[in-house]
mmCIF file with all atom_site columns, all heavy atoms in Angstrom:
data_model
loop_
_atom_site.group_PDB
_atom_site.id
_atom_site.type_symbol
_atom_site.label_atom_id
_atom_site.label_alt_id
_atom_site.label_comp_id
_atom_site.label_asym_id
_atom_site.label_entity_id
_atom_site.label_seq_id
_atom_site.pdbx_PDB_ins_code
_atom_site.Cartn_x
_atom_site.Cartn_y
_atom_site.Cartn_z
_atom_site.occupancy
_atom_site.B_iso_or_equiv
_atom_site.pdbx_formal_charge
_atom_site.auth_seq_id
_atom_site.auth_comp_id
_atom_site.auth_asym_id
_atom_site.auth_atom_id
_atom_site.pdbx_PDB_model_num
ATOM 1   N N   . ARG A 1 34 ? -4.967  30.797 43.097 1.00 95.00 ? 34 ARG A N   1
ATOM 2   C CA  . ARG A 1 34 ? -3.465  30.534 42.979 1.00 95.00 ? 34 ARG A CA  1
ATOM 3   C C   . ARG A 1 34 ? -2.960  29.419 44.110 1.00 95.00 ? 34 ARG A C   1
ATOM 4   O O   . ARG A 1 34 ? -2.141  28.605 43.815 1.00 95.00 ? 34 ARG A O   1
ATOM 5   C CB  . ARG A 1 34 ? -2.588  31.784 43.138 1.00 95.00 ? 34 ARG A CB  1
ATOM 6   C CG  . ARG A 1 34 ? -1.195  31.639 43.116 1.00 95.00 ? 34 ARG A CG  1
ATOM 7   C CD  . ARG A 1 34 ? -0.394  32.888 43.189 1.00 95.00 ? 34 ARG A CD  1
ATOM 8   N NE  . ARG A 1 34 ? 0.933   32.762 43.091 1.00 95.00 ? 34 ARG A NE  1
ATOM 9   C CZ  . ARG A 1 34 ? 1.842   33.702 43.427 1.00 95.00 ? 34 ARG A CZ  1
ATOM 10  N NH1 . ARG A 1 34 ? 1.386   34.902 43.753 1.00 95.00 ? 34 ARG A NH1 1
ATOM 11  N NH2 . ARG A 1 34 ? 3.142   33.411 43.451 1.00 95.00 ? 34 ARG A NH2 1
ATOM 12  N N   . TYR A 1 35 ? -3.453  29.612 45.315 1.00 95.00 ? 35 TYR A N   1
ATOM 13  C CA  . TYR A 1 35 ? -2.975  28.762 46.372 1.00 95.00 ? 35 TYR A CA  1
ATOM 14  C C   . TYR A 1 35 ? -3.969  27.614 46.753 1.00 95.00 ? 35 TYR A C   1
ATOM 15  O O   . TYR A 1 35 ? -3.722  26.894 47.616 1.00 95.00 ? 35 TYR A O   1
ATOM 16  C CB  . TYR A 1 35 ? -2.643  29.541 47.600 1.00 95.00 ? 35 TYR A CB  1
ATOM 17  C CG  . TYR A 1 35 ? -1.515  30.593 47.394 1.00 95.00 ? 35 TYR A CG  1
ATOM 18  C CD1 . TYR A 1 35 ? -1.832  31.987 47.097 1.00 95.00 ? 35 TYR A CD1 1
ATOM 19  C CD2 . TYR A 1 35 ? -0.291  30.085 47.303 1.00 95.00 ? 35 TYR A CD2 1
ATOM 20  C CE1 . TYR A 1 35 ? -0.784  32.878 46.908 1.00 95.00 ? 35 TYR A CE1 1
ATOM 21  C CE2 . TYR A 1 35 ? 0.867   31.147 47.036 1.00 95.00 ? 35 TYR A CE2 1
ATOM 22  C CZ  . TYR A 1 35 ? 0.539   32.383 46.788 1.00 95.00 ? 35 TYR A CZ  1
ATOM 23  O OH  . TYR A 1 35 ? 1.461   33.315 46.578 1.00 95.00 ? 35 TYR A OH  1
ATOM 24  N N   . SER A 1 36 ? -4.972  27.437 45.926 1.00 96.00 ? 36 SER A N   1
ATOM 25  C CA  . SER A 1 36 ? -6.021  26.495 46.304 1.00 96.00 ? 36 SER A CA  1
ATOM 26  C C   . SER A 1 36 ? -5.543  25.063 46.458 1.00 96.00 ? 36 SER A C   1
ATOM 27  O O   . SER A 1 36 ? -5.993  24.276 47.287 1.00 96.00 ? 36 SER A O   1
ATOM 28  C CB  . SER A 1 36 ? -7.141  26.617 45.265 1.00 96.00 ? 36 SER A CB  1
ATOM 29  O OG  . SER A 1 36 ? -6.630  26.233 43.847 1.00 96.00 ? 36 SER A OG  1
ATOM 30  N N   . SER A 1 37 ? -4.583  24.657 45.527 1.00 94.00 ? 37 SER A N   1
ATOM 31  C CA  . SER A 1 37 ? -4.045  23.272 45.606 1.00 94.00 ? 37 SER A CA  1
ATOM 32  C C   . SER A 1 37 ? -3.359  23.018 46.882 1.00 94.00 ? 37 SER A C   1
ATOM 33  O O   . SER A 1 37 ? -3.401  21.862 47.368 1.00 94.00 ? 37 SER A O   1
ATOM 34  C CB  . SER A 1 37 ? -3.145  22.963 44.481 1.00 94.00 ? 37 SER A CB  1
ATOM 35  O OG  . SER A 1 37 ? -2.031  23.827 44.509 1.00 94.00 ? 37 SER A OG  1
ATOM 36  N N   . LEU A 1 38 ? -2.740  24.008 47.590 1.00 91.00 ? 38 LEU A N   1
ATOM 37  C CA  . LEU A 1 38 ? -2.097  23.764 48.824 1.00 91.00 ? 38 LEU A CA  1
ATOM 38  C C   . LEU A 1 38 ? -3.170  23.257 49.898 1.00 91.00 ? 38 LEU A C   1
ATOM 39  O O   . LEU A 1 38 ? -2.751  22.681 50.936 1.00 91.00 ? 38 LEU A O   1
ATOM 40  C CB  . LEU A 1 38 ? -1.446  25.091 49.302 1.00 91.00 ? 38 LEU A CB  1
ATOM 41  C CG  . LEU A 1 38 ? -0.278  25.546 48.605 1.00 91.00 ? 38 LEU A CG  1
ATOM 42  C CD1 . LEU A 1 38 ? 0.176   26.906 49.138 1.00 91.00 ? 38 LEU A CD1 1
ATOM 43  C CD2 . LEU A 1 38 ? 0.854   24.566 48.566 1.00 91.00 ? 38 LEU A CD2 1
ATOM 44  N N   . PHE A 1 39 ? -4.402  23.651 49.759 1.00 91.00 ? 39 PHE A N   1
ATOM 45  C CA  . PHE A 1 39 ? -5.453  23.489 50.610 1.00 91.00 ? 39 PHE A CA  1
ATOM 46  C C   . PHE A 1 39 ? -6.476  22.438 50.257 1.00 91.00 ? 39 PHE A C   1
ATOM 47  O O   . PHE A 1 39 ? -7.562  22.271 50.903 1.00 91.00 ? 39 PHE A O   1
ATOM 48  C CB  . PHE A 1 39 ? -6.028  24.744 51.132 1.00 91.00 ? 39 PHE A CB  1
ATOM 49  C CG  . PHE A 1 39 ? -5.079  25.702 51.786 1.00 91.00 ? 39 PHE A CG  1
ATOM 50  C CD1 . PHE A 1 39 ? -4.382  26.573 50.958 1.00 91.00 ? 39 PHE A CD1 1
ATOM 51  C CD2 . PHE A 1 39 ? -4.948  25.774 53.096 1.00 91.00 ? 39 PHE A CD2 1
ATOM 52  C CE1 . PHE A 1 39 ? -3.487  27.385 51.601 1.00 91.00 ? 39 PHE A CE1 1
ATOM 53  C CE2 . PHE A 1 39 ? -3.995  26.458 53.747 1.00 91.00 ? 39 PHE A CE2 1
ATOM 54  C CZ  . PHE A 1 39 ? -3.219  27.376 52.967 1.00 91.00 ? 39 PHE A CZ  1
ATOM 55  N N   . SER A 1 40 ? -6.243  21.853 49.046 1.00 95.00 ? 40 SER A N   1
ATOM 56  C CA  . SER A 1 40 ? -7.080  20.812 48.461 1.00 95.00 ? 40 SER A CA  1
ATOM 57  C C   . SER A 1 40 ? -8.441  21.457 48.292 1.00 95.00 ? 40 SER A C   1
ATOM 58  O O   . SER A 1 40 ? -9.553  20.868 48.504 1.00 95.00 ? 40 SER A O   1
ATOM 59  C CB  . SER A 1 40 ? -7.175  19.571 49.418 1.00 95.00 ? 40 SER A CB  1
ATOM 60  O OG  . SER A 1 40 ? -6.006  19.039 49.696 1.00 95.00 ? 40 SER A OG  1
ATOM 61  N N   . ILE A 1 41 ? -8.354  22.630 47.659 1.00 97.00 ? 41 ILE A N   1
ATOM 62  C CA  . ILE A 1 41 ? -9.661  23.321 47.349 1.00 97.00 ? 41 ILE A CA  1
ATOM 63  C C   . ILE A 1 41 ? -9.738  23.419 45.754 1.00 97.00 ? 41 ILE A C   1
ATOM 64  O O   . ILE A 1 41 ? -8.599  23.717 45.077 1.00 97.00 ? 41 ILE A O   1
ATOM 65  C CB  . ILE A 1 41 ? -9.651  24.780 47.900 1.00 97.00 ? 41 ILE A CB  1
ATOM 66  C CG1 . ILE A 1 41 ? -9.543  24.741 49.383 1.00 97.00 ? 41 ILE A CG1 1
ATOM 67  C CG2 . ILE A 1 41 ? -10.884 25.574 47.483 1.00 97.00 ? 41 ILE A CG2 1
ATOM 68  C CD1 . ILE A 1 41 ? -10.719 24.295 50.216 1.00 97.00 ? 41 ILE A CD1 1
ATOM 69  N N   . ASP A 1 42 ? -10.781 23.222 45.184 1.00 97.00 ? 42 ASP A N   1
ATOM 70  C CA  . ASP A 1 42 ? -10.929 23.381 43.778 1.00 97.00 ? 42 ASP A CA  1
ATOM 71  C C   . ASP A 1 42 ? -10.687 24.781 43.303 1.00 97.00 ? 42 ASP A C   1
ATOM 72  O O   . ASP A 1 42 ? -11.067 25.780 43.913 1.00 97.00 ? 42 ASP A O   1
ATOM 73  C CB  . ASP A 1 42 ? -12.470 22.917 43.325 1.00 97.00 ? 42 ASP A CB  1
ATOM 74  C CG  . ASP A 1 42 ? -12.713 23.227 41.902 1.00 97.00 ? 42 ASP A CG  1
ATOM 75  O OD1 . ASP A 1 42 ? -12.130 22.340 41.085 1.00 97.00 ? 42 ASP A OD1 1
ATOM 76  O OD2 . ASP A 1 42 ? -13.448 24.225 41.509 1.00 97.00 ? 42 ASP A OD2 1
ATOM 77  N N   . TYR A 1 43 ? -9.786  24.835 42.259 1.00 97.00 ? 43 TYR A N   1
ATOM 78  C CA  . TYR A 1 43 ? -9.430  26.215 41.766 1.00 97.00 ? 43 TYR A CA  1
ATOM 79  C C   . TYR A 1 43 ? -10.534 27.018 41.336 1.00 97.00 ? 43 TYR A C   1
ATOM 80  O O   . TYR A 1 43 ? -10.520 28.239 41.885 1.00 97.00 ? 43 TYR A O   1
ATOM 81  C CB  . TYR A 1 43 ? -8.506  25.757 40.453 1.00 97.00 ? 43 TYR A CB  1
ATOM 82  C CG  . TYR A 1 43 ? -7.975  27.085 39.850 1.00 97.00 ? 43 TYR A CG  1
ATOM 83  C CD1 . TYR A 1 43 ? -6.693  27.532 40.145 1.00 97.00 ? 43 TYR A CD1 1
ATOM 84  C CD2 . TYR A 1 43 ? -8.676  27.830 38.900 1.00 97.00 ? 43 TYR A CD2 1
ATOM 85  C CE1 . TYR A 1 43 ? -6.150  28.658 39.600 1.00 97.00 ? 43 TYR A CE1 1
ATOM 86  C CE2 . TYR A 1 43 ? -8.139  28.949 38.209 1.00 97.00 ? 43 TYR A CE2 1
ATOM 87  C CZ  . TYR A 1 43 ? -6.891  29.467 38.598 1.00 97.00 ? 43 TYR A CZ  1
ATOM 88  O OH  . TYR A 1 43 ? -6.365  30.425 37.960 1.00 97.00 ? 43 TYR A OH  1
ATOM 89  N N   . ASN A 1 44 ? -11.479 26.567 40.558 1.00 96.00 ? 44 ASN A N   1
ATOM 90  C CA  . ASN A 1 44 ? -12.607 27.473 40.190 1.00 96.00 ? 44 ASN A CA  1
ATOM 91  C C   . ASN A 1 44 ? -13.558 27.820 41.325 1.00 96.00 ? 44 ASN A C   1
ATOM 92  O O   . ASN A 1 44 ? -13.990 28.925 41.373 1.00 96.00 ? 44 ASN A O   1
ATOM 93  C CB  . ASN A 1 44 ? -13.354 26.694 39.029 1.00 96.00 ? 44 ASN A CB  1
ATOM 94  C CG  . ASN A 1 44 ? -12.687 26.578 37.892 1.00 96.00 ? 44 ASN A CG  1
ATOM 95  O OD1 . ASN A 1 44 ? -11.933 27.470 37.493 1.00 96.00 ? 44 ASN A OD1 1
ATOM 96  N ND2 . ASN A 1 44 ? -12.834 25.425 37.204 1.00 96.00 ? 44 ASN A ND2 1
ATOM 97  N N   . THR A 1 45 ? -13.722 26.954 42.291 1.00 97.00 ? 45 THR A N   1
ATOM 98  C CA  . THR A 1 45 ? -14.527 27.263 43.464 1.00 97.00 ? 45 THR A CA  1
ATOM 99  C C   . THR A 1 45 ? -13.856 28.360 44.324 1.00 97.00 ? 45 THR A C   1
ATOM 100 O O   . THR A 1 45 ? -14.391 29.319 44.807 1.00 97.00 ? 45 THR A O   1
ATOM 101 C CB  . THR A 1 45 ? -14.685 25.951 44.416 1.00 97.00 ? 45 THR A CB  1
ATOM 102 O OG1 . THR A 1 45 ? -15.420 25.040 43.570 1.00 97.00 ? 45 THR A OG1 1
ATOM 103 C CG2 . THR A 1 45 ? -15.459 26.207 45.631 1.00 97.00 ? 45 THR A CG2 1
ATOM 104 N N   . ALA A 1 46 ? -12.453 28.259 44.436 1.00 97.00 ? 46 ALA A N   1
ATOM 105 C CA  . ALA A 1 46 ? -11.660 29.286 45.243 1.00 97.00 ? 46 ALA A CA  1
ATOM 106 C C   . ALA A 1 46 ? -11.901 30.559 44.533 1.00 97.00 ? 46 ALA A C   1
ATOM 107 O O   . ALA A 1 46 ? -12.099 31.490 45.146 1.00 97.00 ? 46 ALA A O   1
ATOM 108 C CB  . ALA A 1 46 ? -10.355 28.734 45.406 1.00 97.00 ? 46 ALA A CB  1
ATOM 109 N N   . TYR A 1 47 ? -11.606 30.600 43.142 1.00 97.00 ? 47 TYR A N   1
ATOM 110 C CA  . TYR A 1 47 ? -11.707 31.974 42.465 1.00 97.00 ? 47 TYR A CA  1
ATOM 111 C C   . TYR A 1 47 ? -13.112 32.527 42.682 1.00 97.00 ? 47 TYR A C   1
ATOM 112 O O   . TYR A 1 47 ? -13.160 33.702 42.914 1.00 97.00 ? 47 TYR A O   1
ATOM 113 C CB  . TYR A 1 47 ? -11.474 31.631 41.035 1.00 97.00 ? 47 TYR A CB  1
ATOM 114 C CG  . TYR A 1 47 ? -11.558 32.875 40.129 1.00 97.00 ? 47 TYR A CG  1
ATOM 115 C CD1 . TYR A 1 47 ? -10.680 33.836 40.163 1.00 97.00 ? 47 TYR A CD1 1
ATOM 116 C CD2 . TYR A 1 47 ? -12.648 33.009 39.260 1.00 97.00 ? 47 TYR A CD2 1
ATOM 117 C CE1 . TYR A 1 47 ? -10.809 34.981 39.396 1.00 97.00 ? 47 TYR A CE1 1
ATOM 118 C CE2 . TYR A 1 47 ? -12.821 34.203 38.491 1.00 97.00 ? 47 TYR A CE2 1
ATOM 119 C CZ  . TYR A 1 47 ? -11.878 35.136 38.590 1.00 97.00 ? 47 TYR A CZ  1
ATOM 120 O OH  . TYR A 1 47 ? -11.996 36.314 37.821 1.00 97.00 ? 47 TYR A OH  1
ATOM 121 N N   . PHE A 1 48 ? -14.163 31.679 42.368 1.00 97.00 ? 48 PHE A N   1
ATOM 122 C CA  . PHE A 1 48 ? -15.583 32.199 42.455 1.00 97.00 ? 48 PHE A CA  1
ATOM 123 C C   . PHE A 1 48 ? -15.797 32.794 43.864 1.00 97.00 ? 48 PHE A C   1
ATOM 124 O O   . PHE A 1 48 ? -16.220 33.900 44.009 1.00 97.00 ? 48 PHE A O   1
ATOM 125 C CB  . PHE A 1 48 ? -16.456 30.952 42.286 1.00 97.00 ? 48 PHE A CB  1
ATOM 126 C CG  . PHE A 1 48 ? -17.959 31.452 42.325 1.00 97.00 ? 48 PHE A CG  1
ATOM 127 C CD1 . PHE A 1 48 ? -18.542 31.642 41.105 1.00 97.00 ? 48 PHE A CD1 1
ATOM 128 C CD2 . PHE A 1 48 ? -18.647 31.377 43.473 1.00 97.00 ? 48 PHE A CD2 1
ATOM 129 C CE1 . PHE A 1 48 ? -19.931 32.097 41.066 1.00 97.00 ? 48 PHE A CE1 1
ATOM 130 C CE2 . PHE A 1 48 ? -19.997 31.753 43.538 1.00 97.00 ? 48 PHE A CE2 1
ATOM 131 C CZ  . PHE A 1 48 ? -20.596 32.121 42.270 1.00 97.00 ? 48 PHE A CZ  1
ATOM 132 N N   . CYS A 1 49 ? -15.480 32.057 44.974 1.00 98.00 ? 49 CYS A N   1
ATOM 133 C CA  . CYS A 1 49 ? -15.747 32.564 46.331 1.00 98.00 ? 49 CYS A CA  1
ATOM 134 C C   . CYS A 1 49 ? -14.924 33.813 46.649 1.00 98.00 ? 49 CYS A C   1
ATOM 135 O O   . CYS A 1 49 ? -15.473 34.838 47.104 1.00 98.00 ? 49 CYS A O   1
ATOM 136 C CB  . CYS A 1 49 ? -15.408 31.567 47.337 1.00 98.00 ? 49 CYS A CB  1
ATOM 137 S SG  . CYS A 1 49 ? -16.660 30.139 47.334 1.00 98.00 ? 49 CYS A SG  1
ATOM 138 N N   . GLY A 1 50 ? -13.609 33.761 46.240 1.00 98.00 ? 50 GLY A N   1
ATOM 139 C CA  . GLY A 1 50 ? -12.966 35.102 46.568 1.00 98.00 ? 50 GLY A CA  1
ATOM 140 C C   . GLY A 1 50 ? -13.321 36.238 45.767 1.00 98.00 ? 50 GLY A C   1
ATOM 141 O O   . GLY A 1 50 ? -13.368 37.454 46.287 1.00 98.00 ? 50 GLY A O   1
ATOM 142 N N   . LEU A 1 51 ? -13.668 36.065 44.440 1.00 97.00 ? 51 LEU A N   1
ATOM 143 C CA  . LEU A 1 51 ? -14.015 37.180 43.670 1.00 97.00 ? 51 LEU A CA  1
ATOM 144 C C   . LEU A 1 51 ? -15.366 37.890 44.070 1.00 97.00 ? 51 LEU A C   1
ATOM 145 O O   . LEU A 1 51 ? -15.515 39.052 44.183 1.00 97.00 ? 51 LEU A O   1
ATOM 146 C CB  . LEU A 1 51 ? -14.236 36.763 42.220 1.00 97.00 ? 51 LEU A CB  1
ATOM 147 C CG  . LEU A 1 51 ? -14.557 37.846 41.142 1.00 97.00 ? 51 LEU A CG  1
ATOM 148 C CD1 . LEU A 1 51 ? -13.512 38.903 41.057 1.00 97.00 ? 51 LEU A CD1 1
ATOM 149 C CD2 . LEU A 1 51 ? -14.868 37.297 39.864 1.00 97.00 ? 51 LEU A CD2 1
ATOM 150 N N   . TYR A 1 52 ? -16.302 37.020 44.473 1.00 98.00 ? 52 TYR A N   1
ATOM 151 C CA  . TYR A 1 52 ? -17.725 37.440 44.769 1.00 98.00 ? 52 TYR A CA  1
ATOM 152 C C   . TYR A 1 52 ? -18.024 37.618 46.081 1.00 98.00 ? 52 TYR A C   1
ATOM 153 O O   . TYR A 1 52 ? -19.137 37.956 46.502 1.00 98.00 ? 52 TYR A O   1
ATOM 154 C CB  . TYR A 1 52 ? -18.735 36.475 44.009 1.00 98.00 ? 52 TYR A CB  1
ATOM 155 C CG  . TYR A 1 52 ? -18.705 36.525 42.676 1.00 98.00 ? 52 TYR A CG  1
ATOM 156 C CD1 . TYR A 1 52 ? -18.521 35.305 41.897 1.00 98.00 ? 52 TYR A CD1 1
ATOM 157 C CD2 . TYR A 1 52 ? -18.808 37.647 41.806 1.00 98.00 ? 52 TYR A CD2 1
ATOM 158 C CE1 . TYR A 1 52 ? -18.454 35.255 40.487 1.00 98.00 ? 52 TYR A CE1 1
ATOM 159 C CE2 . TYR A 1 52 ? -18.748 37.658 40.476 1.00 98.00 ? 52 TYR A CE2 1
ATOM 160 C CZ  . TYR A 1 52 ? -18.602 36.451 39.834 1.00 98.00 ? 52 TYR A CZ  1
ATOM 161 O OH  . TYR A 1 52 ? -18.571 36.463 38.374 1.00 98.00 ? 52 TYR A OH  1
#
Side-chain angles (χ1 to χ4, degrees):
R34 178 178 179 192
Y35 298 106
S36 60
S37 65
L38 293 174
F39 297 89
S40 301
I41 305 288
D42 174 73
Y43 181 94
N44 291 321
T45 298
Y47 175 75
F48 182 94
C49 290
L51 181 65
Y52 293 126

